[in-house]
Amino acid sequence: KNQVEQSPQSLIILEGKNCTLQCNYTVSPFSNLRWYKQDTGRGPVSLTIMTFSENTKSNGRYTATLDADTKQSSLHITASQLSDSASYICVVSGGNSWGKLQFGAGTQVVVTP
Amino acid sequence: GAGVSQTPSNKVTEKGKYVELRCDPISGHTALYWYRQSLGQGPEFLIYFQGTGAADDSGLPNDRFFAVRPEGSVSTLKIQRTERGDSAVYLCASSLSRDNEQFFGPGTRLTVL
């Protein structure tokens, strides 16, 4: 069973609207949680990295939250743009000696005009 | 180079053939990782190198898969007797050291006919 679960699997939003993606994880021990953006045909690019002591981090129009107690994270996209169309992957580091990354399956976001 | 590069970008081969996939990490990055990504899924860990040695190869699916990094820079992922199930995008990432951010290459799309 995947230790990082994301929802929804996909979503379509209108340009200019906001959306929130969810991530639940069971990885333990926990080191940090990252959100990556992956454009079609490209490698993932890091958006945010949070340790257990951080509960929110922003990168431009992207804001990630983390609740280490409930093992949940969210990624909020504000005022979406067409270029936000991509897969957003939640990644948790920990669970072994060297902090191997555990990837979620991603949420496919499509922003329409 | 400025980022992680991978060659070839696409590889089509026949079942039973041998293939080599190459990764050029960011200069100075001691840690290098290989992942495999199937359609609609997040990357799946294969192997992690620290310098020239494989620090964790627990993700390699079977003994048909092998990877080397003889001089601690370029790495080659080798797949023997390819099977149709090996078809996927193979991603390489590098980081300054194991606890630092991983930077991903664009991937090699492998298709086994």
Side-chain angles (χ1 to χ4, degrees):
Chain A
K1 188 182 186 310
N2 197 349
Q3 296 184 69
V4 182
E5 299 285 346
Q6 292 188 242
S7 62
Q9 187 174 12
S10 62
L11 74 125
I12 301 172
I13 59 173
L14 290 175
E15 186 178 12
K17 298 297 185 182
N18 304 335
C19 68
T20 300
L21 317 179
Q22 301 291 342
C23 173
N24 296 332
Y25 64 92
T26 58
V27 177
S28 182
F30 169 81
S31 177
N32 57 65
L33 185 144
R34 313 164 188 218
W35 282 93
Y36 280 84
K37 178 186 179 187
Q38 186 173 24
D39 293 311
T40 300
R42 301 284 187 95
V45 174
S46 179
L47 293 175
T48 62
I49 301 176
M50 291 182 290
T51 64
F52 71 93
S53 62
E54 299 174 288
N55 53 26
T56 187
K57 183 162 282 189
S58 291
N59 178 358
R61 294 178 297 100
Y62 301 102
T63 299
T65 65
L66 172 64
D67 186 333
D69 291 332
T70 62
K71 298 186 176 180
Q72 296 179 324
S73 176
S74 66
L75 180 70
H76 187 75
I77 305 175
T78 303
S80 60
Q81 300 177 359
L82 298 178
S83 60
D84 293 332
S85 294
S87 178
Y88 292 84
I89 305 175
C90 176
V91 186
V92 179
S93 173
N96 74 341
S97 61
W98 61 268
K100 181 168 69 176
L101 300 185
Q102 307 278 0
F103 291 77
T107 292
Q108 186 68 44
V109 173
V110 175
V111 181
T112 64
Chain B
V4 178
S5 62
Q6 293 186 244
T7 55
S9 56
N10 280 284
K11 176 70 176 178
V12 180
T13 190
E14 293 180 344
K15 180 176 180 294
K17 299 291 188 182
Y18 167 83
V19 297
E20 289 190 351
L21 312 179
R22 177 188 168 109
C23 172
D24 281 81
I26 294 172
S27 178
H29 281 194
T30 63
L32 184 145
Y33 315 81
W34 282 99
Y35 297 90
R36 179 168 68 176
Q37 186 173 25
S38 301
L39 192 63
Q41 299 297 315
E44 171 191 21
F45 168 76
L46 294 177
I47 186 169
Y48 152 54
F49 285 92
Q50 183 58 50
T52 60
D56 186 343
D57 64 358
S58 62
L60 295 177
N62 51 60
D63 61 6
R64 295 186 298 105
F65 288 75
F66 189 70
V68 296
R69 195 185 184 201
E71 298 178 357
S73 178
V74 171
S75 176
T76 304
L77 178 66
K78 308 180 180 191
I79 310 174
Q80 298 177 323
R81 304 183 304 280
T82 52
E83 300 177 355
R84 293 193 180 87
D86 298 335
S87 297
V89 174
Y90 289 82
L91 292 166
C92 175
S94 71
S95 62
L96 203 55
S97 68
R98 75 178 193 186
D99 295 326
N100 294 102
E101 180 180 350
Q102 294 185 24
F103 295 87
F104 284 81
T108 292
R109 180 174 297 280
L110 174 66
T111 302
V112 182
L113 301 177

